[in-house]
Amino acid sequence: MKKGNTIQNFLQKDFSELRSAGVEQLMYIKEDLIIPHHHSFYDFIVTKARGKSGDLQSVDTVVVFPLKSHAGKVVLRSWYEKNKHIFPASRWEPYDPEKKWDKYTSFC
């Protein structure tokens, strides 16, 4: 990822097999937070942003920092709408940069 690339750029380039759905129909979930398409990964690095159960700073930090972050998920918005009452989607909530997550709440 290049500095300044947004979630939308990431979804368009790295998930081209889902291109028929269109990027607006894809959702990126990281640490049980639904990340809006306009945010960039650089924003999360600079602010050292955290989610409910780990860092939001990287797309794939599971190999490098297994205790600090979980892999992100890409799902179809239609799947989420049908399953938002079922775990794990029932834990997901929209990302709010003002909200601070002081302790981990992982169910793993």
Side-chain angles (χ1 to χ4, degrees):
M1 296 297 305
K2 292 181 181 178
K3 180 179 176 179
N5 277 6
T6 63
I7 301 298
Q8 182 171 351
N9 299 135
F10 167 68
L11 293 172
Q12 283 174 327
K13 292 177 185 171
D14 291 4
F15 295 92
S16 58
E17 65 273 11
L18 297 174
R19 189 172 294 154
S20 63
V23 72
E24 64 281 348
Q25 294 303 313
L26 299 176
M27 296 173 62
Y28 180 64
I29 313 301
K30 179 74 170 159
E31 303 303 329
D32 290 332
L33 298 176
I34 301 167
I35 309 297
H37 288 184
H38 66 276
H39 285 284
S40 74
F41 293 103
Y42 184 73
D43 296 335
F44 297 130
I45 293 168
V46 169
T47 62
K48 296 182 179 169
R50 292 178 41 84
K52 290 182 180 182
S53 58
D55 298 329
L56 296 177
Q57 301 170 21
S58 176
V59 176
D60 187 10
T61 58
V62 174
V63 175
V64 180
F65 303 109
L67 298 177
K68 293 186 178 182
S69 183
H70 299 97
K73 301 165 199 62
V74 175
V75 300
L76 290 169
R77 189 173 302 277
S78 59
W79 179 90
Y80 171 73
E81 291 299 328
K82 286 189 264 182
N83 295 287
K84 62 185 172 184
H85 63 287
I86 302 169
F87 184 84
S90 61
R91 279 188 44 86
W92 301 347
E93 62 184 81
Y95 171 69
D96 178 358
E98 302 298 318
K99 191 167 187 174
K100 301 297 181 209
W101 301 99
D102 295 330
K103 58 184 176 178
Y104 290 150
T105 60
S106 178
F107 290 107
C108 297

